[in-house]
Coordinates of all heavy atoms in Angstrom, one line a residue:
M1 N 36.5 157.1 82.7 CA 35.6 157.4 83.8 C 34.3 157.9 83.2 O 34.2 158.7 82.2 CB 36.2 158.5 84.6 CG 35.3 159.0 85.7 SD 35.9 160.4 86.6 CE 36.9 159.7 87.8
I2 N 33.2 157.5 83.8 CA 31.9 157.9 83.4 C 31.6 159.2 84.0 O 31.7 159.4 85.2 CB 30.8 156.9 83.8 CG1 31.2 155.5 83.2 CG2 29.4 157.3 83.4 CD1 31.3 155.5 81.7
R3 N 31.1 160.2 83.2 CA 30.7 161.5 83.7 C 29.2 161.6 83.4 O 28.8 161.5 82.3 CB 31.5 162.6 83.0 CG 33.0 162.6 83.4 CD 33.8 163.6 82.6 NE 33.7 163.4 81.2 CZ 34.4 162.5 80.5 NH1 35.2 161.7 81.0 NH2 34.3 162.5 79.2
D4 N 28.5 161.8 84.5 CA 27.0 161.8 84.4 C 26.5 162.8 83.4 O 26.9 164.0 83.4 CB 26.4 162.1 85.8 CG 24.9 161.9 85.8 OD1 24.5 160.8 85.4 OD2 24.2 162.8 86.2
G5 N 25.7 162.4 82.4 CA 25.2 163.2 81.4 C 26.1 163.5 80.2 O 25.6 164.1 79.2
E6 N 27.4 163.2 80.3 CA 28.3 163.4 79.2 C 28.6 162.1 78.4 O 28.5 162.1 77.2 CB 29.6 163.9 79.8 CG 29.5 165.3 80.3 CD 30.9 165.8 80.8 OE1 31.9 165.5 80.2 OE2 30.9 166.5 81.8
N7 N 28.9 161.0 79.1 CA 29.1 159.7 78.5 C 28.4 158.6 79.2 O 28.8 157.4 79.0 CB 30.6 159.5 78.3 CG 31.3 159.4 79.7 OD1 30.8 159.7 80.7 ND2 32.6 159.0 79.6
G8 N 27.4 158.9 80.0 CA 26.7 157.9 80.7 C 25.8 158.5 81.7 O 25.8 159.8 81.8
L9 N 25.0 157.7 82.4 CA 24.2 158.2 83.5 C 24.6 157.4 84.7 O 24.7 156.2 84.7 CB 22.7 157.9 83.2 CG 22.2 158.6 81.9 CD1 20.7 158.3 81.7 CD2 22.3 160.1 82.0
L10 N 24.8 158.2 85.8 CA 25.3 157.6 87.0 C 24.1 157.5 88.0 O 23.2 158.3 88.0 CB 26.4 158.4 87.7 CG 27.7 158.5 86.8 CD1 28.7 159.4 87.5 CD2 28.3 157.1 86.6
F11 N 24.1 156.4 88.8 CA 23.2 156.3 89.9 C 23.8 155.4 91.0 O 24.8 154.7 90.8 CB 21.9 155.6 89.4 CG 22.1 154.3 88.8 CD1 22.0 153.1 89.5 CD2 22.4 154.2 87.4 CE1 22.2 151.9 88.9 CE2 22.6 153.0 86.8 CZ 22.5 151.8 87.5
E12 N 23.3 155.5 92.2 CA 23.8 154.8 93.3 C 23.6 153.3 93.2 O 22.5 152.8 92.8 CB 23.1 155.3 94.6 CG 23.9 155.0 95.9 CD 25.2 155.7 96.0 OE1 25.3 156.9 95.6 OE2 26.2 155.1 96.4
A13 N 24.7 152.5 93.4 CA 24.6 151.1 93.3 C 23.6 150.5 94.3 O 23.4 151.0 95.4 CB 26.0 150.5 93.6
R14 N 22.9 149.5 93.8 CA 21.8 148.8 94.6 C 20.7 149.7 95.0 O 19.9 149.4 95.9 CB 22.5 148.2 95.8 CG 23.5 147.1 95.5 CD 24.0 146.4 96.8 NE 25.0 145.4 96.5 CZ 26.3 145.7 96.4 NH1 26.8 146.9 96.6 NH2 27.1 144.7 96.1
D15 N 20.5 150.8 94.3 CA 19.4 151.7 94.6 C 18.4 151.6 93.4 O 18.6 152.3 92.4 CB 19.9 153.1 94.8 CG 18.8 154.1 95.2 OD1 17.6 153.8 94.9 OD2 19.2 155.2 95.7
V16 N 17.4 150.8 93.6 CA 16.5 150.5 92.5 C 15.8 151.8 92.1 O 15.5 152.1 90.9 CB 15.4 149.5 92.9 CG1 14.4 149.3 91.8 CG2 16.1 148.1 93.2
G17 N 15.4 152.7 93.0 CA 14.8 153.9 92.7 C 15.7 154.8 91.9 O 15.2 155.5 90.9
A18 N 17.0 154.9 92.2 CA 17.9 155.7 91.4 C 18.1 155.1 90.0 O 18.2 155.9 89.1 CB 19.3 155.7 92.1
L19 N 18.1 153.8 89.9 CA 18.2 153.2 88.6 C 16.9 153.6 87.8 O 17.0 154.0 86.6 CB 18.3 151.7 88.7 CG 18.1 150.9 87.4 CD1 19.2 151.3 86.4 CD2 18.2 149.4 87.7
R20 N 15.8 153.5 88.4 CA 14.5 153.8 87.7 C 14.6 155.3 87.2 O 14.3 155.6 86.1 CB 13.3 153.7 88.7 CG 12.0 154.1 88.0 CD 10.9 154.4 89.0 NE 11.3 155.5 89.8 CZ 11.3 155.5 91.2 NH1 10.9 154.5 91.9 NH2 11.7 156.6 91.8
D21 N 15.1 156.2 88.1 CA 15.2 157.6 87.8 C 16.1 157.8 86.6 O 15.8 158.6 85.7 CB 15.6 158.4 89.0 CG 14.6 158.5 90.1 OD1 13.4 158.1 89.8 OD2 15.0 158.8 91.2
A22 N 17.2 157.1 86.6 CA 18.2 157.2 85.5 C 17.6 156.7 84.2 O 17.8 157.3 83.1 CB 19.5 156.4 85.8
L23 N 16.8 155.6 84.2 CA 16.2 155.1 83.0 C 15.1 156.1 82.5 O 15.0 156.3 81.3 CB 15.6 153.7 83.3 CG 16.6 152.6 83.5 CD1 15.9 151.3 83.9 CD2 17.4 152.4 82.2
V24 N 14.3 156.7 83.4 CA 13.3 157.6 83.0 C 14.0 158.8 82.4 O 13.6 159.4 81.4 CB 12.5 158.1 84.3 CG1 11.6 159.3 83.9 CG2 11.6 156.9 84.7
R25 N 15.1 159.3 83.0 CA 15.9 160.4 82.4 C 16.4 160.0 81.0 O 16.3 160.9 80.1 CB 17.1 160.7 83.4 CG 17.9 161.8 83.0 CD 19.0 162.0 84.0 NE 20.1 162.8 83.5 CZ 21.3 162.8 84.0 NH1 21.6 162.1 85.1 NH2 22.2 163.5 83.5
L26 N 16.9 158.8 80.8 CA 17.4 158.4 79.5 C 16.2 158.4 78.5 O 16.4 158.9 77.4 CB 18.0 157.0 79.6 CG 18.5 156.4 78.3 CD1 19.7 157.2 77.8 CD2 19.0 155.0 78.6
L27 N 15.1 157.9 78.9 CA 14.0 157.8 78.0 C 13.4 159.1 77.7 O 12.7 159.3 76.7 CB 12.9 156.8 78.6 CG 13.3 155.4 78.6 CD1 12.3 154.6 79.4 CD2 13.6 154.8 77.3
S28 N 13.6 160.1 78.6 CA 13.1 161.4 78.3 C 13.9 162.3 77.4 O 13.5 163.3 76.9 CB 12.8 162.2 79.6 OG 14.1 162.5 80.2
L29 N 15.1 161.8 77.1 CA 16.0 162.5 76.2 C 15.5 162.5 74.8 O 15.0 161.5 74.4 CB 17.5 162.0 76.3 CG 18.2 162.1 77.6 CD1 19.5 161.4 77.5 CD2 18.5 163.6 77.9
Q30 N 15.8 163.5 74.0 CA 15.5 163.4 72.6 C 16.5 162.4 71.9 O 17.6 162.1 72.5 CB 15.8 164.8 72.0 CG 14.8 165.9 72.5 CD 13.4 165.7 72.1 OE1 13.1 165.3 70.9 NE2 12.5 165.9 73.0
Q31 N 16.1 161.9 70.8 CA 16.9 160.9 70.1 C 18.3 161.4 69.9 O 19.3 160.7 70.1 CB 16.2 160.5 68.8 CG 17.1 159.4 68.1 CD 16.4 158.9 66.8 OE1 15.2 159.1 66.6 NE2 17.2 158.2 66.0
V32 N 18.4 162.6 69.4 CA 19.8 163.2 69.1 C 20.6 163.2 70.4 O 21.8 162.9 70.4 CB 19.7 164.6 68.5 CG1 19.1 165.6 69.4 CG2 21.0 165.0 67.9
E33 N 20.0 163.4 71.6 CA 20.8 163.4 72.8 C 21.2 162.0 73.2 O 22.3 161.8 73.8 CB 20.0 164.1 73.9 CG 20.0 165.6 73.8 CD 21.5 166.2 73.9 OE1 22.1 165.9 74.9 OE2 21.9 166.9 73.0
R34 N 20.3 161.1 73.0 CA 20.6 159.7 73.3 C 21.8 159.2 72.4 O 22.7 158.5 72.9 CB 19.4 158.8 73.1 CG 18.4 158.9 74.2 CD 17.3 157.8 74.2 NE 16.7 157.6 72.9 CZ 15.6 158.2 72.5 NH1 15.0 159.1 73.3 NH2 15.1 158.0 71.3
E35 N 21.7 159.6 71.2 CA 22.8 159.2 70.2 C 24.1 159.9 70.6 O 25.2 159.2 70.6 CB 22.4 159.6 68.8 CG 21.3 158.7 68.2 CD 20.7 159.2 66.9 OE1 21.2 160.3 66.4 OE2 19.9 158.5 66.4
R36 N 24.1 161.1 71.1 CA 25.3 161.8 71.5 C 25.9 161.1 72.7 O 27.1 160.8 72.8 CB 25.0 163.3 71.9 CG 26.2 164.1 72.3 CD 25.8 165.3 73.1 NE 25.0 165.1 74.2 CZ 25.4 164.6 75.4 NH1 26.7 164.3 75.6 NH2 24.6 164.4 76.4
L37 N 25.0 160.8 73.7 CA 25.4 160.1 74.9 C 26.0 158.7 74.6 O 27.1 158.3 75.1 CB 24.2 159.9 75.8 CG 24.5 159.4 77.3 CD1 25.3 160.5 78.0 CD2 23.2 159.2 77.9
G38 N 25.4 158.0 73.7 CA 25.9 156.7 73.3 C 27.2 156.8 72.5 O 28.1 155.9 72.8
A39 N 27.4 157.7 71.7 CA 28.6 157.9 70.9 C 29.7 158.3 71.9 O 30.9 157.8 71.8 CB 28.5 159.0 69.9
A40 N 29.5 159.1 72.9 CA 30.5 159.5 73.8 C 30.9 158.3 74.7 O 32.0 158.1 75.0 CB 30.0 160.7 74.7
A41 N 29.9 157.5 75.0 CA 30.2 156.3 75.8 C 31.1 155.3 75.0 O 32.1 154.8 75.5 CB 28.9 155.6 76.2
A42 N 30.8 155.2 73.7 CA 31.6 154.3 72.9 C 33.0 154.8 72.7 O 34.0 154.0 72.8 CB 30.9 154.2 71.5
R43 N 33.2 156.1 72.6 CA 34.5 156.7 72.6 C 35.3 156.5 73.9 O 36.5 156.2 73.8 CB 34.4 158.2 72.3 CG 34.2 158.6 70.8 CD 34.5 160.1 70.6 NE 33.6 160.9 71.4 CZ 32.4 161.3 71.2 NH1 31.8 160.8 70.1 NH2 31.7 162.1 72.0
T44 N 34.6 156.6 75.0 CA 35.2 156.4 76.3 C 35.8 154.9 76.4 O 36.9 154.7 76.8 CB 34.3 156.6 77.4 OG1 33.9 158.0 77.4 CG2 34.9 156.3 78.8
V45 N 34.9 154.0 76.0 CA 35.4 152.6 76.0 C 36.5 152.3 75.0 O 37.5 151.7 75.4 CB 34.2 151.6 75.7 CG1 34.6 150.2 75.4 CG2 33.1 151.7 76.8
A46 N 36.4 152.8 73.8 CA 37.5 152.6 72.8 C 38.8 153.3 73.3 O 39.9 152.7 73.1 CB 37.1 153.2 71.5
D47 N 38.7 154.4 73.9 CA 39.9 155.1 74.4 C 40.6 154.4 75.6 O 41.8 154.4 75.7 CB 39.6 156.6 74.8 CG 39.3 157.5 73.7 OD1 39.5 157.1 72.5 OD2 38.7 158.6 73.9
R48 N 39.8 153.8 76.4 CA 40.4 153.2 77.7 C 40.6 151.7 77.6 O 41.3 151.2 78.5 CB 39.4 153.6 78.8 CG 39.3 155.0 79.1 CD 38.4 155.3 80.2 NE 38.9 154.8 81.5 CZ 39.7 155.4 82.3 NH1 40.2 156.6 82.1 NH2 40.1 154.8 83.5
H49 N 40.0 151.0 76.6 CA 40.1 149.6 76.6 C 40.5 149.0 75.3 O 39.8 148.2 74.7 CB 38.7 149.0 77.0 CG 38.3 149.5 78.4 ND1 38.8 149.0 79.6 CD2 37.4 150.4 78.8 CE1 38.2 149.6 80.6 NE2 37.4 150.4 80.1
D50 N 41.6 149.4 74.8 CA 42.1 148.9 73.5 C 43.0 147.7 73.8 O 43.6 147.5 74.8 CB 42.9 149.9 72.7 CG 44.1 150.4 73.4 OD1 44.0 151.0 74.4 OD2 45.2 150.0 72.9
A51 N 43.0 146.8 72.8 CA 43.7 145.5 73.0 C 45.2 145.7 73.3 O 45.8 145.0 74.1 CB 43.5 144.6 71.7
A52 N 45.8 146.7 72.6 CA 47.3 146.9 72.8 C 47.6 147.2 74.2 O 48.6 146.7 74.8 CB 47.7 148.0 71.9
S53 N 46.8 148.0 74.9 CA 47.1 148.4 76.3 C 46.9 147.1 77.2 O 47.7 147.0 78.2 CB 46.2 149.5 76.8 OG 44.9 149.2 76.8
Y54 N 46.0 146.3 76.9 CA 45.8 145.1 77.7 C 47.0 144.1 77.5 O 47.5 143.5 78.4 CB 44.5 144.3 77.3 CG 43.3 144.9 78.0 CD1 42.4 145.8 77.4 CD2 43.0 144.6 79.4 CE1 41.4 146.3 78.0 CE2 42.0 145.2 80.0 CZ 41.1 146.0 79.3 OH 40.0 146.6 80.0
I55 N 47.4 143.9 76.2 CA 48.6 143.1 76.0 C 49.8 143.6 76.7 O 50.6 142.9 77.3 CB 48.8 143.0 74.4 CG1 47.6 142.2 73.8 CG2 50.1 142.3 74.1 CD1 47.6 142.2 72.3
D56 N 50.0 144.9 76.6 CA 51.1 145.5 77.3 C 51.1 145.3 78.8 O 52.1 145.0 79.4 CB 51.2 147.0 77.0 CG 52.4 147.7 77.6 OD1 53.5 147.2 77.4 OD2 52.2 148.7 78.3
A57 N 49.9 145.4 79.4 CA 49.8 145.2 80.8 C 50.1 143.7 81.2 O 50.8 143.5 82.2 CB 48.3 145.5 81.3
Y58 N 49.6 142.8 80.4 CA 50.0 141.4 80.6 C 51.5 141.1 80.5 O 52.1 140.5 81.4 CB 49.3 140.5 79.6 CG 47.8 140.2 79.9 CD1 46.8 140.6 79.0 CD2 47.4 139.7 81.1 CE1 45.5 140.4 79.2 CE2 46.0 139.5 81.4 CZ 45.1 139.9 80.4 OH 43.8 139.7 80.7
R59 N 52.1 141.7 79.5 CA 53.5 141.5 79.3 C 54.3 142.1 80.5 O 55.3 141.5 80.9 CB 54.0 142.2 78.0 CG 53.6 141.4 76.8 CD 54.2 142.0 75.6 NE 53.8 141.2 74.4 CZ 53.7 141.7 73.2 NH1 53.8 143.0 72.9 NH2 53.3 140.9 72.2
R60 N 53.9 143.2 81.1 CA 54.6 143.8 82.2 C 54.4 143.0 83.5 O 55.3 142.9 84.3 CB 54.1 145.2 82.5 CG 54.6 146.2 81.5 CD 54.3 147.7 81.9 NE 53.1 147.8 82.6 CZ 51.9 148.2 82.1 NH1 51.9 148.4 80.8 NH2 50.8 148.4 82.8
R61 N 53.2 142.4 83.6 CA 52.9 141.7 84.9 C 53.2 140.2 85.0 O 53.5 139.7 86.0 CB 51.4 141.9 85.2 CG 51.2 143.4 85.6 CD 49.7 143.6 85.9 NE 49.5 144.9 86.4 CZ 48.9 145.9 85.7 NH1 48.6 145.6 84.4 NH2 48.7 147.1 86.2
L62 N 53.2 139.5 83.8 CA 53.5 138.1 83.8 C 54.8 137.7 84.4 O 54.9 136.6 85.0 CB 53.2 137.5 82.5 CG 51.7 137.5 82.1 CD1 51.5 136.9 80.7 CD2 50.9 136.6 83.1
P63 N 55.9 138.4 84.2 CA 57.2 138.0 84.8 C 57.1 137.8 86.3 O 57.9 137.0 86.9 CB 58.1 139.1 84.4 CG 57.6 139.7 83.2 CD 56.1 139.6 83.3
A64 N 56.2 138.4 87.0 CA 56.0 138.2 88.4 C 55.6 136.8 88.7 O 56.0 136.3 89.8 CB 54.9 139.2 89.0
L65 N 55.0 136.1 87.8 CA 54.6 134.7 88.0 C 55.9 133.8 88.1 O 56.0 132.8 88.8 CB 53.7 134.2 86.9 CG 52.3 134.7 87.0 CD1 51.5 134.1 85.8 CD2 51.6 134.3 88.3
A66 N 56.9 134.2 87.3 CA 58.1 133.4 87.3 C 58.9 133.6 88.6 O 59.5 132.6 89.1 CB 59.0 133.9 86.1
E67 N 58.7 134.7 89.2 CA 59.3 135.0 90.5 C 58.7 134.2 91.6 O 59.3 133.7 92.6 CB 59.3 136.5 90.8 CG 60.2 137.3 89.9 CD 60.0 138.8 90.1 OE1 59.5 139.1 91.2 OE2 60.4 139.5 89.2
D68 N 57.3 134.1 91.6 CA 56.6 133.4 92.6 C 55.4 132.7 92.0 O 54.3 133.2 91.9 CB 56.1 134.4 93.7 CG 55.5 133.7 94.9 OD1 55.3 132.4 94.8 OD2 55.2 134.4 95.9
P69 N 55.6 131.4 91.5 CA 54.5 130.7 90.8 C 53.3 130.4 91.7 O 52.3 130.0 91.2 CB 55.2 129.5 90.3 CG 56.4 129.3 91.1 CD 56.8 130.7 91.6
D70 N 53.5 130.6 93.0 CA 52.3 130.3 94.0 C 51.4 131.4 94.1 O 50.3 131.3 94.7 CB 52.9 129.9 95.3 CG 53.6 128.6 95.3 OD1 53.3 127.7 94.5 OD2 54.6 128.5 96.1
V71 N 51.7 132.6 93.5 CA 50.8 133.8 93.6 C 49.7 133.5 92.6 O 50.0 133.1 91.4 CB 51.6 135.1 93.2 CG1 50.6 136.2 93.1 CG2 52.7 135.3 94.2
P72 N 48.5 133.7 93.0 CA 47.3 133.4 92.0 C 47.5 134.4 90.8 O 47.8 135.6 91.0 CB 46.1 133.8 92.8 CG 46.5 133.6 94.3 CD 48.0 134.0 94.3
L73 N 47.2 133.9 89.7 CA 47.3 134.7 88.4 C 46.5 135.9 88.5 O 46.9 137.0 88.1 CB 46.8 133.8 87.2 CG 46.9 134.5 85.9 CD1 48.3 135.0 85.5 CD2 46.3 133.6 84.8
A74 N 45.3 135.8 89.1 CA 44.4 137.0 89.2 C 45.1 138.1 90.0 O 45.0 139.3 89.7 CB 43.1 136.6 89.8
D75 N 45.8 137.7 91.1 CA 46.5 138.7 91.9 C 47.6 139.5 91.0 O 47.8 140.7 91.2 CB 47.2 138.1 93.1 CG 46.2 137.6 94.1 OD1 44.9 137.9 94.0 OD2 46.6 136.9 95.1
V76 N 48.3 138.7 90.2 CA 49.3 139.3 89.4 C 48.7 140.3 88.3 O 49.1 141.4 88.2 CB 50.1 138.2 88.6 CG1 51.1 138.8 87.6 CG2 50.9 137.4 89.7
L77 N 47.6 139.8 87.7 CA 47.0 140.6 86.6 C 46.3 141.8 87.1 O 46.2 142.8 86.5 CB 46.1 139.7 85.8 CG 46.7 138.6 85.0 CD1 45.7 137.8 84.3 CD2 47.8 139.1 84.1
L78 N 45.8 141.7 88.3 CA 45.0 142.9 88.9 C 45.9 143.8 89.7 O 45.4 144.8 90.2 CB 43.8 142.3 89.7 CG 42.8 141.5 89.0 CD1 41.8 140.9 89.9 CD2 42.1 142.4 87.9
S79 N 47.1 143.5 89.9 CA 48.0 144.3 90.7 C 48.2 145.6 90.0 O 48.2 145.7 88.8 CB 49.3 143.6 91.0 OG 50.1 143.6 89.9
R80 N 48.5 146.7 90.7 CA 48.8 148.0 90.1 C 50.3 148.1 89.8 O 50.7 149.1 89.2 CB 48.3 149.1 91.0 CG 46.8 149.0 91.3 CD 46.2 150.3 91.2 NE 44.8 150.2 91.4 CZ 43.9 150.5 90.5 NH1 44.2 150.9 89.3 NH2 42.6 150.4 90.8
A81 N 51.1 147.2 90.3 CA 52.6 147.3 90.1 C 52.9 146.9 88.7 O 52.2 146.2 88.0 CB 53.3 146.3 91.0
G82 N 54.1 147.4 88.2 CA 54.5 147.0 86.9 C 54.1 147.9 85.9 O 54.0 147.9 84.8

């Protein structure tokens, strides 16, 4: 999860002014703060999106296709079950 100012900058979707404000905020940070923010963002991605967890999720969900091959693959992979 992105936490504003900790591992990213948040702004309202489709709000160009909010995006501009976030970019101004980012550019106004000292280099050391931008580096800290970037490193925290990289840690967040690495912690939440490793290959092993994706492979495990596929292995848990793919048997559902054998039960009902007419279910779209995307529905199976995006389901929260399993």
Side-chain angles (χ1 to χ4, degrees):
M1 174 187 276
I2 302 301
R3 291 175 307 280
D4 192 50
E6 292 181 36
N7 62 352
L9 298 177
L10 297 176
F11 57 92
E12 201 62 42
R14 296 184 180 91
D15 184 338
V16 175
L19 172 59
R20 179 202 61 230
D21 294 345
L23 290 172
V24 168
R25 183 175 160 204
L26 179 64
L27 293 172
S28 70
L29 294 174
Q30 296 292 321
Q31 180 175 345
V32 67
E33 282 300 304
R34 287 193 308 271
E35 290 172 356
R36 181 200 56 77
L37 191 67
R43 280 192 305 276
T44 298
V45 170
D47 290 347
R48 297 181 60 90
H49 301 285
D50 65 290
S53 65
Y54 278 100
I55 291 168
D56 184 51
Y58 284 122
R59 285 184 178 151
R60 286 194 322 267
R61 291 181 174 103
L62 288 177
L65 287 177
E67 295 173 16
D68 187 355
D70 294 326
V71 173
L73 179 60
D75 291 351
V76 173
L77 295 177
L78 297 175
S79 73
R80 300 225 180 242

